[in-house]
Amino acid sequence: MSRGEAGAGAGGAHGRPTAADRDPGLQPERTRLAWRRTTLAGTVAAVLAVRAALHGGASPGTVVACAVCCALWVAFLLVAQRRIVALARSARPAPLPARQATAAVLCAVALAVCAAALVV
């Protein structure tokens, strides 16, 4: 077999697979499970931060910070659930839109900062 024939069934130019040739296999399932793990970790962080903040008594600032922490957790939960549903719908899910990715990152970072502020 010649060199040109070896890459003939491999997809696009230079033997690289194209998007149409890609077999996602279990990748969408792994990604869906990663979103679930991240949501669970965020839940644990939010609960522990609220618990630590309210353990010594509730001041107005602590209550507001706890409310913000919970709101950020709910926002991240909504973004994650939307992505989990999208991944479960099809074997070839669409890429994560930039808007959703930005929202997920901002919620996660803000939740971490808020939780750290509550604990410290």
Side-chain angles (χ1 to χ4, degrees):
M1 180 179 340
S2 73
R3 188 173 174 171
E5 293 171 0
H14 306 290
R16 293 185 200 132
T18 62
D21 296 332
R22 183 175 170 270
D23 178 17
L26 295 176
Q27 188 261 334
E29 182 178 357
R30 287 191 307 268
T31 304
R32 190 172 67 248
L33 291 171
W35 275 101
R36 289 182 192 262
R37 284 190 307 271
T38 304
T39 302
L40 179 61
T43 302
V44 170
V47 168
L48 290 176
V50 170
R51 180 177 177 258
L54 297 179
H55 189 315
S59 69
T62 304
V63 172
V64 169
C66 288
V68 170
C69 194
C70 290
L72 289 167
W73 172 75
V74 169
F76 182 79
L77 188 65
L78 292 173
V79 171
Q81 185 61 30
R82 179 178 283 170
R83 186 60 183 163
I84 289 168
V85 169
L87 290 167
R89 282 190 186 155
S90 130
R92 290 178 183 242
L96 181 65
R99 187 174 182 179
Q100 283 184 2
T102 303
V105 168
L106 290 177
C107 285
V109 169
L111 180 61
V113 168
C114 188
L118 282 172
V119 173
V120 174

